[in-house]
Amino acid sequence: MGDLFLDVRGIAKRFGENVVLVGVDLAVPRGSVVTVLGKSGTGKSVFLKCLAGIVRPDAGEIRFDGRPLNAGDAECRAEFRSRCSYLFQSNALLDSLTVLENVALPLESTTQIPNREIRERALEALRQLDLEKHWDRHPGQLSGGMQKRLALARAIVTRPELVLFDEPTAGLDPLRRNAVFQMIVKYQRQFGFTAVLVTHDLPEALVSSDQVALLDGGRMRFQGTPAQFNASDDPTVRSFRDSAGELRDTVAALRRGETIENRNDL
Amino acid sequence: MTRVLGKYTLRIVRELGDFGLFTSRSLAAAVGSRKLGRRVVRSIYEQGVRCVPVIMIVGLFTGLVLGLQGYYVLNKFGSSGLLGTLVSLTLVRELAPVLAALMLVGQAGSALAAELGIQRNSEQIDALETMGADVHAYLISPRLIAAVLVFPIQTAFFCLIGLLGGYLSGSVVLALQPGVYWSAVFHAVHPVDVRECMIKAAIFGLLTIAICAYNGFNAHRRTSASGARAVSASTTRAVVISSITVLAADYVITSFLV
């Protein structure tokens, strides 16, 4: 699969009796956009948090740029953090800090560059995302879309090589959803980082990703290009892919007065 | 029964060890932390300046009540001239550090526990970790340093306003000569009493803020509640434990210093 930037093998995680991940594999080529799809509650965010080191996996191996990550090597983990950014589903902006301070924070934490340069780089990141004039506001004073852009500005300010996006379009309307995907692809092309997204927005993911993977039942059921995903005969892939058509058929049947059994896979 | 007792003992020991590590790690993280001074100043404002009004009010009423009660009791024995001694020693040796610490818990400690709990809940602390920031250096160290710096000053304010309260009760409302009151104050309080007061204040400040920070920071670890309820439970726990700790520590420190 070419030059693998991130190679994940057999990641497993359980919380008490709740088994979330059972041996998840994922191969992420350098400079690509890989989207992990899956229904709500299948452990996509837990998987991404395992990659970021926020959640410690029970088993499995993560290799980042050829080096193992989860060997308890603090130095290796620190290096990973300096080369990786994470965009949280909730944005996780520090509400006590201004917009500028939020963006400057990763630079203050991971670099020794002078404060003046940090400020310039933070302002540059804000300028690229059209947030420059809001630099002295607090995150709570921004709209949802602006907060998302601010979180992205904070994620790219350190010029990371890998950006992990946790449900970047959760709770957004279709227009803003498209805008966020456009933004991710635009900046991925501009800065050349490798991106791993988790989402359940299938049409947008298929258009904007180099590869898609499908997580279901704690395992990765599929990984391949969007074209391969569309052509796949795998029942899980088909069920996920054809869910819009299923809904159309179900609604039509209900309108005709037919009785439909409740689904138990919500 | 023995098993239950053992289980609780182990839990307490584990929690104490965890708390000790948390506090020592936070203090050690201050060394070489970037922009620490700015964050300490912000914490001084939150814990110090914001708490001054409530400390002044409580200090004033404590002094007023001490002056009133003390005057009537001492007057029965013809010793009302010792009111200044009673008020000053009671305040400096015991009441000022303890009551000011309880005010600190109620005002700054509870706010800190809730703030950290919400930051934990909204993944802000996770975000700091993924950014490579030392969360102890960023969130906890400045608060602990500010507590040690600012709390003795607040306690001194408490003492001064309390003495003024005693004067208002004894000399303005009642019949004690102001000169008698202030002379007794000056003769009763020795440098060793002030030193004891300041030592207690610094220890109480560190303990209360560390306990509140520990509980807020670990709000997600609560198994009995989650989300907003975990934040509320952690804040309550922080206030209760730090209040009890202040009283227990007061007894221990006093028994060593007296």
Side-chain angles (χ1 to χ4, degrees):
Chain A
M1 206 174 276
D3 179 15
L4 279 189
F5 195 46
L6 194 65
D7 187 11
V8 184
R9 287 182 193 187
I11 289 290
K13 183 68 195 173
R14 64 189 300 163
F15 296 98
E17 296 297 306
N18 183 19
V19 179
V20 182
L21 303 173
V22 194
V24 177
D25 299 334
L26 184 73
V28 182
R30 191 185 299 272
S32 63
V33 178
V34 176
T35 301
V36 178
L37 295 161
K39 292 181 291 189
S40 300
T42 48
K44 300 188 297 295
S45 294
V46 172
F47 173 64
L48 208 64
K49 283 177 178 164
C50 286
L51 298 188
I54 301 168
V55 171
R56 185 174 286 206
D58 300 331
E61 188 187 38
I62 302 169
R63 295 184 81 84
F64 173 66
D65 210 5
R67 288 178 66 189
L69 255 187
N70 47 347
D73 183 349
E75 197 184 317
C76 184
R77 184 52 80 176
E79 194 206 322
F80 172 75
R81 282 187 171 156
S82 69
R83 295 169 68 187
C84 168
S85 284
Y86 191 103
L87 197 134
F88 284 79
Q89 185 176 348
S90 60
N91 299 324
L93 299 164
L94 275 86
D95 40 25
S96 57
L97 301 183
T98 64
V99 165
L100 183 67
E101 287 169 336
N102 261 288
V103 179
L105 192 58
L107 291 171
E108 287 171 7
S109 308
T110 55
T111 68
Q112 291 300 317
I113 56 179
N115 291 337
R116 194 174 160 181
E117 199 184 324
I118 286 178
R119 186 182 163 85
E120 278 167 14
R121 275 180 64 177
L123 281 170
E124 177 58 29
L126 289 176
R127 201 172 300 128
Q128 284 167 336
L129 287 145
D130 296 326
L131 286 167
E132 194 192 6
K133 61 181 176 187
H134 305 293
W135 68 272
D136 57 346
R137 291 201 189 174
H138 282 81
Q141 296 170 295
L142 304 179
S143 68
M146 286 160 100
Q147 287 185 12
K148 193 60 81 184
R149 275 188 281 152
L150 173 56
L152 186 61
R154 190 176 68 178
I156 61 170
V157 74
T158 51
R159 294 167 193 163
E161 294 167 61
L162 173 69
V163 184
L164 307 172
F165 295 89
D166 186 4
E167 306 260 13
T169 53
L172 296 181
D173 61 66
L175 284 176
R176 287 205 171 86
R177 216 158 55 206
N178 283 344
V180 168
F181 273 101
Q182 275 174 28
M183 196 168 70
I184 290 168
V185 174
K186 181 185 164 190
Y187 291 111
Q188 192 271 334
R189 298 286 177 254
Q190 191 174 330
F191 297 109
F193 55 76
T194 305
V196 179
L197 287 91
V198 301
T199 184
H200 35 62
D201 296 329
L202 181 59
E204 291 86 350
L206 289 177
V207 171
S208 52
S209 311
D210 297 308
Q211 291 205 10
V212 289
L214 181 66
L215 185 66
D216 189 71
R219 292 179 195 281
M220 210 61 95
R221 301 287 177 182
F222 173 88
Q223 184 177 357
T225 62
Q228 288 169 332
F229 184 86
N230 280 328
S232 175
D233 278 339
D234 183 281
T236 318
V237 174
R238 245 186 14 229
S239 149
F240 194 79
R241 191 181 58 208
D242 301 339
S243 58
E246 262 179 45
L247 173 67
R248 208 170 30 241
D249 296 345
T250 309
V251 171
L254 284 167
R255 284 188 177 145
R256 285 195 302 271
E258 292 174 24
T259 310
I260 305 288
E261 274 185 37
N262 282 337
R263 294 185 64 161
N264 58 2
D265 57 350
L266 286 176
Chain B
M1 177 66 186
T2 316
R3 181 174 283 186
V4 173
L5 198 66
K7 192 177 144 193
Y8 278 105
T9 310
L10 280 176
R11 211 169 95 179
I12 291 168
V13 170
R14 194 165 52 229
E15 192 100 343
L16 279 174
D18 213 21
F19 171 71
L21 282 174
F22 172 85
T23 309
S24 49
R25 198 176 156 192
S26 301
L27 288 172
V31 181
S33 171
R34 198 168 183 163
K35 290 191 177 173
L36 180 73
R38 211 172 73 175
R39 291 199 294 275
V40 169
V41 169
R42 191 180 283 187
S43 301
I44 285 176
Y45 174 73
E46 284 165 3
Q47 291 169 23
V49 180
R50 278 191 189 168
C51 293
V52 165
V54 72
I55 292 222
M56 295 294 223
I57 292 166
V58 175
L60 180 68
F61 281 104
T62 307
L64 284 168
V65 169
L66 271 178
L68 212 58
Q69 290 280 16
Y71 183 85
Y72 284 120
V73 173
L74 291 171
N75 204 29
K76 280 185 186 169
F77 305 100
S79 311
S80 56
L82 290 174
L83 181 67
T85 309
L86 175 93
V87 172
S88 59
L89 289 183
T90 311
L91 280 173
V92 173
R93 285 188 180 174
E94 285 301 330
L95 284 187
V98 171
L99 289 181
L102 295 177
M103 291 305 106
L104 182 78
V105 171
Q107 181 97 354
S110 59
L112 174 62
E115 186 183 333
L116 288 173
I118 290 167
Q119 286 185 323
R120 174 63 78 186
N121 219 6
S122 59
E123 298 182 309
Q124 292 179 39
I125 294 178
D126 288 337
L128 279 169
E129 280 174 356
T130 59
M131 279 181 233
D134 184 335
V135 288
H136 288 266
Y138 190 80
L139 295 171
I140 316 296
S141 309
R143 263 92 179 220
L144 296 182
I145 294 169
V148 175
L149 291 177
V150 89
F151 193 56
I153 300 171
Q154 285 176 328
T155 307
F157 272 127
F158 191 105
C159 287
L160 292 174
I161 203 84
L163 288 173
L164 183 69
Y167 161 76
L168 290 174
S169 277
S171 299
V172 176
V173 178
L174 300 168
L176 188 67
Q177 286 292 318
V180 175
Y181 176 82
W182 289 115
S183 167
V185 169
F186 289 127
H187 283 99
V189 181
H190 296 290
V192 69
D193 299 315
V194 178
R195 193 188 65 195
E196 188 183 319
C197 176
M198 294 297 111
I199 290 171
K200 278 185 179 178
I203 293 172
F204 292 169
L206 183 69
L207 275 176
T208 52
I209 293 301
I211 291 169
C212 292
Y214 174 77
N215 279 285
F217 192 82
N218 293 308
H220 65 307
R221 282 210 215 155
R222 299 193 68 80
T223 48
S224 55
S226 60
R229 291 195 70 153
V231 176
S232 123
S234 300
T235 308
T236 307
R237 193 164 184 259
V239 170
V240 170
I241 294 178
S242 44
S243 302
I244 294 169
T245 306
V246 164
L247 297 172
D250 182 48
Y251 175 76
V252 174
I253 297 168
T254 306
S255 57
F256 275 110
L257 293 177
V258 165

